Amino acid sequence: MLLLETWREMLGRSFDVRSYADAHEAMRAFEGDDLDVALLDVQLPGKSGLDLLSHLRRVQPGAEAIMITGNATVEMAVAALHAGAFDFLQKPIENPEWLLRRVAHAVEKARARPGAGGAGAAKSAGASQGASDARPRIVGVSSAIERVRALIEHFANSSSATLITGESGTGKELVARALHAGGARRDRPFIAVNCGAIADTLIESELFGHERGAFTGAHARHTGLFDAADGGVLFLDEIGDMPPQTQVRLLRVLQEGEVRPVGATQSHTVDVRVIAATNVDFKRAMRDGKFREDLYYRLSPLRIDLPALRDRLEDIPVIARRLLERHAARAGRDGVTFSESAMAALTAYPWPGNVRELSNAIEFALTLSSGDVIDAGQLPSYVPASRREAPAAPTVARAAIDTEVPYSQARADTLREFERGYLEELMRATEGNLSAAARRSGIDRSNLRRMLRQHNIAYSGGAQA
């Protein structure tokens, strides 16, 4: 019950929330209340959450459902998705912002249905908007981001594999979801998996499934994510972390359109569009023998390269205002703006964590402020208060000019020096805690761990990945 109250309070800042103590109470409510989204725990007093999902689909076909469980299996996820769930989440959910985003996506989809009119939808003048309006928005005015939007438009209806590259925090999953939402598969599953977050010994079973007895501990048949995504999109995030033996099996799926579960003797056909994403330098990975060249070409007939935020500074004011609007709305503080000094500081900072880090900084400043204007002094301490107070040009840059080092090399050296200094200060500020550092910087845990190892910087909490 404590978790129920916590989530009701958290989600209630952004949505009209009603909570029910057991499945029978919820079933009665579903028959009388109009809903946009229902969050259903798989384990409920009285009935299974999957039974409750089936009832919801019958009495409110326009509502979306998000299933939540503390004991997730791929079979359970497949069953929920096939029963009509919009999403399937595993507890514990440590990041409230992440849960809010998932719920917001589900609300957008529910309100985009023709004739949508739930209790939450009635508050929106755009409740009957077309499905195209529910697409994730790629924000920016730069020519680089205009090109990204144009590529999404061109590639959305294709079934070809697509590779999205870019640094951590540039919005690779957002682009993948935009491709899905704008294409013919928009009403079929979109399943995202972080290849770097699954143990090498488990990833083949997770992706392709396994037969009973295929290995020690395989007590039942296990359905893989390719089958769960059949007809839709499978988003393979951090594909560069995929182990070599799994790369071989994935190559066959892309070549033949067939999946063979671990321990099976027969393959079966699947219709899945694969969208992969990475921040890995594939040329170096292929040269070092860490990634198969033939798989790279199978993954990248279509490719979208996302620019770093520091390479499109003109987009920062637009993105910052959009993020502030979103955070302020959730906090019930509409109308908050940036001062000129705050915006100058935001556009001067290089944002190694890209949009994710910018979002965290704005949420920090909003929480610290009490008025309607956010000033530079309320931004995190690692963001210089103004252009005049920004650090002097790095020593590497000055030395490069004196020694006639080419710009591209000097820029790379400068960024490496900044990255190392930033990471050292970040780990000092968080006392070496990886989870706290990831939250503060806006850098994904697996990417942050990789960066720390590259710079040989110590951290704690690595076993929690």
Side-chain angles (χ1 to χ4, degrees), residues 27-62:
M27 289 176 74
R28 290 192 296 270
F30 290 170
E31 294 172 3
D33 293 342
D34 289 328
L35 302 174
D36 286 327
V37 176
L39 274 72
L40 309 175
D41 200 310
V42 172
Q43 302 296 329
L44 289 171
K47 273 187 178 292
S48 160
L50 293 175
D51 293 334
L52 193 55
L53 172 61
S54 299
H55 182 73
L56 177 69
R57 293 262 63 84
R58 287 195 301 273
V59 299
Q60 296 213 43

Side-chain angles (χ1 to χ4, degrees), residues 161-165 239 247 250-251 254 276 278 280-283 285-286 291-303 305:
T162 304
L163 180 65
I164 305 170
T165 65
I239 188 74
Q247 294 178 32
L250 176 60
L251 178 63
L254 293 173
T278 187
V280 167
D281 181 344
F282 269 131
K283 290 184 179 179
M286 289 187 288
F291 203 87
R292 295 179 63 95
E293 186 173 0
D294 48 2
L295 177 57
Y296 167 74
Y297 288 113
R298 282 287 179 181
L299 286 169
S300 58
L302 305 180
R303 176 167 172 162
D305 299 314

Side-chain angles (χ1 to χ4, degrees), residues 38-240:
L39 274 72
L40 309 175
D41 200 310
V42 172
Q43 302 296 329
L44 289 171
K47 273 187 178 292
S48 160
L50 293 175
D51 293 334
L52 193 55
L53 172 61
S54 299
H55 182 73
L56 177 69
R57 293 262 63 84
R58 287 195 301 273
V59 299
Q60 296 213 43
E64 297 294 345
I66 297 176
M67 303 300 296
I68 302 173
T69 183
N71 301 294
T73 64
V74 174
E75 287 91 346
M76 192 182 294
V78 171
L81 293 168
H82 283 177
F86 172 81
D87 210 342
F88 188 90
L89 312 179
Q90 184 172 5
K91 294 184 290 189
I93 298 174
E94 299 178 350
N95 187 343
E97 180 74 15
W98 181 78
L99 177 62
L100 283 168
R101 285 198 299 270
R102 296 288 184 131
V103 173
H105 284 317
V107 169
E108 287 177 358
K109 184 174 181 182
R111 294 181 182 181
R113 293 181 184 273
K123 298 179 180 178
S124 171
S128 61
Q129 62 191 344
S132 61
D133 292 334
R135 300 181 194 180
R137 298 192 65 181
I138 312 299
V139 178
V141 295
S142 65
S143 57
I145 213 66
E146 286 287 354
R147 174 172 169 75
V148 169
R149 281 195 288 261
L151 290 175
I152 292 172
E153 201 69 30
H154 284 299
F155 295 168
N157 276 314
S158 174
S159 290
S160 297
T162 304
L163 180 65
I164 305 170
T165 65
E167 296 178 3
S168 176
T170 49
K172 294 186 287 294
E173 183 170 346
L174 183 69
V175 170
R177 290 186 178 276
L179 287 166
H180 172 250
R185 298 171 183 259
R186 65 176 67 89
D187 294 323
R188 302 297 299 160
F190 176 96
I191 296 180
V193 57
N194 187 326
C195 299
I198 304 175
D200 290 359
T201 54
L202 297 177
I203 189 168
E204 290 190 18
S205 173
E206 291 295 295
L207 292 177
F208 313 119
H210 67 247
E211 295 297 322
R212 180 180 180 183
F215 49 84
T216 303
H219 302 301
R221 188 176 183 274
H222 183 88
T223 303
L225 295 177
F226 266 96
D227 286 304
D230 196 14
V233 170
L234 180 61
F235 175 55
L236 301 176
D237 199 7
E238 303 305 337
I239 188 74

Side-chain angles (χ1 to χ4, degrees), residues 212-366:
R212 180 180 180 183
F215 49 84
T216 303
H219 302 301
R221 188 176 183 274
H222 183 88
T223 303
L225 295 177
F226 266 96
D227 286 304
D230 196 14
V233 170
L234 180 61
F235 175 55
L236 301 176
D237 199 7
E238 303 305 337
I239 188 74
D241 292 337
M242 180 175 284
Q245 67 272 18
T246 310
Q247 294 178 32
V248 176
R249 293 178 66 97
L250 176 60
L251 178 63
R252 180 165 182 81
V253 176
L254 293 173
Q255 288 174 332
E256 309 296 337
E258 295 181 345
V259 168
R260 187 172 72 179
V262 178
T265 57
Q266 299 292 324
S267 301
H268 59 273
T269 302
V270 291
D271 174 24
V272 175
R273 180 182 186 181
V274 173
I275 299 177
T278 187
N279 61 5
V280 167
D281 181 344
F282 269 131
K283 290 184 179 179
R284 177 180 296 178
M286 289 187 288
R287 186 173 61 246
D288 295 343
K290 295 180 180 179
F291 203 87
R292 295 179 63 95
E293 186 173 0
D294 48 2
L295 177 57
Y296 167 74
Y297 288 113
R298 282 287 179 181
L299 286 169
S300 58
L302 305 180
R303 176 167 172 162
I304 299 176
D305 299 314
L306 299 186
L309 195 54
R310 62 181 172 274
D311 293 331
R312 51 186 184 109
L313 297 179
E314 63 268 45
D315 288 340
I316 290 179
V318 181
I319 297 172
R321 292 188 185 101
R322 176 62 57 83
L323 291 170
L324 177 59
E325 180 182 298
R326 183 185 305 165
H327 289 308
R330 288 172 179 164
R333 293 177 57 190
D334 293 345
V336 182
T337 61
F338 294 108
S339 69
E340 289 187 10
S341 63
M343 187 58 74
L346 291 175
T347 54
Y349 185 65
W351 301 110
N354 292 292
V355 177
R356 189 182 294 124
E357 186 185 16
L358 174 61
S359 178
N360 286 1
I362 290 171
E363 186 174 11
F364 175 94
L366 179 67

